[in-house]
Amino acid sequence: MSNQPFILSLSALLILSLGFKTAQEIHHMRAPQLYAATSISKQIFVASSLDRIFLNGKTLQKPSFSSTVVLSAAQNDYEDFQIVVDARSKAEPDIVLEGSDLRDVKTGSNISKDHWSWRVVGYVPTQKPYYAVKYVGLWPDPLITVDAFDVKAGTVQPFWVTLYVPPDTPAGLYKGTIEVKGSHLAAQKIPVQLQVYAFSLPPESHLKTAFDFYGQLTKFRYPQGPAESNETWHARLDGLNDQFIINMIKHRMNPVLNIDPTNQSDLANIDRYRVYGLNNFAIGKNGGTFDNNWPRDDASIENLKTTYQTYGEDLKINGLLQDTYIYTWDEGDIGNPQVPKIAAMIHQAYPGLKNMVCYHGFWDPSQNPDWGRDLDIWTFQIDNFDEAGMHRLQKTGMEMWMYISGPSGKTSPNLALDFDAIDARIIPWICWKYDIKGFLYWCVNYWPDEDPFKNTRNTKWEQNGNGLLFYPGQDGPVDSIRTENFRDGMQDYELIQLLLDKLRVIRSKNLEGKYKAEFSQSIQLLTMDDTLIKDMWQFTKDGEILKSRRDAIAAQIDKLNHLEGLQ
């Protein structure tokens, strides 16, 4: 394949998503080793957002198919599901979805149909990796915006549907429909029922996140046009990078950024991004995201002290100090003498600055007590989790984060392409279970050499879609099933936090005795038992179990909100 970068046209993208392949490629495709899906009795039906549906109708796990849509949501909440068109008997051209207004018949409150959106679930090819997968071939992942879509005969095509519930939506039970239409298809209306709770999710997340975006790679997927000047091209690239960053934040993924706090343009960008929910980002142009590019000699390290003192002062003046960290070191050997030198310099320059490091294991203070004394945030790789080691560092006051890198062959959740959909959603729940305050992921747009719509083996490590969460659409970012499910997991985390806050109010007002049953029920809901998460490597694959817990937590918040003294 040519290494020349190009933009995949929308028509070519859709042809690829339909699964057209050469005869030779078809001959070499092996049959998918997937869950034998429940027999489909209707041509059009509803599926969960956690169902990964292949073009032959099979799924990775036991599917949650239905004939109706039943949702519950907080205010400022996104809810996702899939509408599936079974075209195995004949093609269905010009498919369009249209949601109605949703109305509470008791109060007359209305959610406008403008808050519906739908996209085609696209399919991208994977190659056989070194880790175990259930299928090699076309995987459902990119979510493509179109006006209408031709479903090819012999396929089962899902459409991704999202409903946004605005912050000012009154609580109540709303009903409406979503209609599926096509040029050869009699229009079908699917009933929708939505329970809206009387509380809102905050725009800023309590679980900190750090997802790196490689802005320098945008040029490979968006090359300079033949009549485009350098200035115009670079301005277009800047605009595209801004689109990707804002889209990340809307998915509750804080970009790493590495801003210069003395740069007024950088600070202005932070102000813009905070409107979308940004509340955590890195500073400086040295550190782990730059291949640990610190000076090697002591004098040069010492000379950076004035720079970091200025950083701290400017951040404090602008009210940003508490929302920042320095990505001080990335991986390598625990005990490396260079790390404490740099971390100490930063604390000496401005004590309020926070040093964050990423490692495959845990520093043991009892073995080397001075080495990590200037580290503030310890980020461990999920497959090297050691609960006792984590607690040792927590006792020193260090904040715990975790990160996921390439698939290891272990059963921990992963964000690479060819994993169960629930992997992306369960990550914030795991963080809650272990009191982990932040989550880091190395890249969301690693597509330097290959067009990811044509080849998802985007790294040299024989992995599919590692570091590739967003796709380069013709005019900007294309979301994926993984980004939507991660956002939904982050919204789940906010529900957990809201219920925890209610328990704190009960305790602060000495109402535990009065509301003993409700307090006990809440504690049970917040306890991640083995049916949901046993440990880092064993967690439920049943989306209904996770969603049931999520709905129970939301209902409990609503119940507590109606108790006397807790309004």
Side-chain angles (χ1 to χ4, degrees), residues 305-550:
K305 191 178 292 185
T306 302
T307 298
Y308 282 88
Q309 180 181 5
T310 305
Y311 285 171
E313 290 169 348
D314 285 359
L315 290 168
K316 181 72 178 296
I317 290 170
N318 286 281
L320 297 173
L321 185 63
Q322 71 280 2
D323 298 326
T324 64
Y325 59 91
I326 298 159
Y327 197 148
T328 306
W329 202 268
D330 184 64
E331 299 185 337
D333 296 325
I334 297 173
N336 178 354
Q338 196 75 354
V339 176
K341 289 180 183 178
I342 293 163
M345 177 274 292
I346 290 168
H347 274 178
Q348 290 164 15
Y350 203 88
L353 293 174
K354 290 178 285 189
N355 288 299
M356 187 271 284
V357 296
C358 292
Y359 281 105
H360 277 270
F362 291 85
W363 164 55
D364 186 347
S366 67
Q367 300 297 317
N368 191 354
D370 294 330
W371 181 80
R373 64 185 176 186
D374 285 296
L375 302 180
D376 304 287
I377 302 169
W378 187 275
T379 310
F380 64 88
Q381 206 273 349
I382 188 170
D383 288 320
N384 299 107
F385 178 61
D386 171 9
E387 192 166 3
M390 181 183 73
H391 290 323
R392 281 196 297 269
L393 293 187
Q394 286 173 324
K395 287 178 181 178
T396 70
M398 201 176 295
E399 187 170 294
M400 287 295 111
W401 291 14
M402 78 173 183
Y403 72 104
I404 288 175
S405 47
S408 66
K410 294 185 178 181
T411 56
S412 55
N414 203 276
L415 289 176
L417 172 63
D418 37 10
F419 284 76
D420 294 304
I422 202 170
D423 279 36
R425 187 161 182 173
I426 203 75
I427 290 167
W429 292 78
I430 290 175
C431 289
W432 163 256
K433 178 180 176 73
Y434 291 106
D435 195 26
I436 295 164
K437 302 301 186 183
F439 175 74
L440 178 144
Y441 191 63
W442 70 282
C443 187
V444 301
N445 68 314
Y446 195 76
W447 15 253
D449 300 319
E450 300 284 353
D451 185 326
F453 290 109
K454 288 191 169 185
N455 184 0
T456 56
R457 181 173 285 183
N458 58 317
T459 71
K460 62 184 178 181
W461 302 297
E462 298 184 4
Q463 302 161 346
N464 293 302
N466 178 24
L468 195 173
L469 299 183
F470 295 94
Y471 292 81
Q474 190 163 11
D475 300 311
V478 169
D479 302 332
S480 67
I481 289 175
R482 291 169 291 159
T483 62
E484 303 297 281
N485 279 322
F486 181 81
R487 180 199 60 206
D488 291 347
M490 291 292 288
Q491 291 179 159
D492 297 340
Y493 190 95
E494 291 308 307
L495 292 174
I496 291 170
Q497 189 66 43
L498 285 170
L499 182 53
L500 178 64
D501 289 344
K502 283 294 174 186
L503 296 187
R504 287 171 173 158
V505 171
I506 290 174
R507 181 164 285 173
S508 68
K509 293 185 175 183
N510 297 315
L511 295 173
E512 288 177 72
K514 183 176 181 179
Y515 298 125
K516 183 177 180 180
E518 291 82 0
F519 195 90
S520 177
Q521 291 165 2
S522 300
I523 293 294
Q524 284 186 310
L525 289 171
L526 294 178
T527 302
M528 300 297 106
D529 53 76
D530 289 358
T531 60
L532 194 64
I533 302 166
K534 185 174 182 180
D535 54 36
M536 291 287 183
W537 305 276
Q538 300 176 85
F539 54 92
T540 184
K541 295 291 186 174
D542 187 338
E544 291 307 304
I545 291 177
L546 184 145
K547 288 188 174 184
S548 176
R549 179 68 68 91
R550 177 258 185 203

Side-chain angles (χ1 to χ4, degrees), residues 34-140:
L34 304 176
Y35 191 92
T38 302
S39 177
I40 301 167
S41 59
K42 293 190 176 184
Q43 186 184 9
I44 297 173
F45 56 95
V46 179
S48 164
S49 59
L50 295 175
D51 289 327
R52 265 243 166 94
I53 303 168
F54 289 78
L55 287 167
N56 58 5
K58 292 189 176 183
T59 60
L60 293 178
Q61 300 291 334
K62 182 179 179 180
S64 302
F65 295 159
S66 175
S67 58
T68 61
V69 178
V70 179
L71 304 172
S72 67
Q75 300 150 350
N76 191 36
D77 194 354
Y78 291 88
E79 286 300 304
D80 303 305
F81 58 93
Q82 298 178 83
I83 299 292
V84 186
V85 175
D86 182 355
R88 285 180 290 186
S89 59
K90 62 184 180 70
E92 294 294 351
D94 301 319
I95 295 295
V96 173
L97 276 62
E98 185 175 326
S100 72
D101 287 351
L102 296 173
R103 183 172 293 277
D104 184 337
V105 294
K106 288 186 177 180
T107 65
S109 298
N110 190 71
I111 300 175
S112 169
K113 62 183 180 181
D114 295 339
H115 295 297
W116 288 106
S117 64
W118 65 274
R119 290 163 287 179
V120 175
V121 175
Y123 290 79
V124 290
T126 63
Q127 300 180 47
K128 186 177 181 180
Y130 59 82
Y131 48 91
V133 294
K134 297 177 181 178
Y135 178 56
V136 176
L138 291 172
W139 273 72

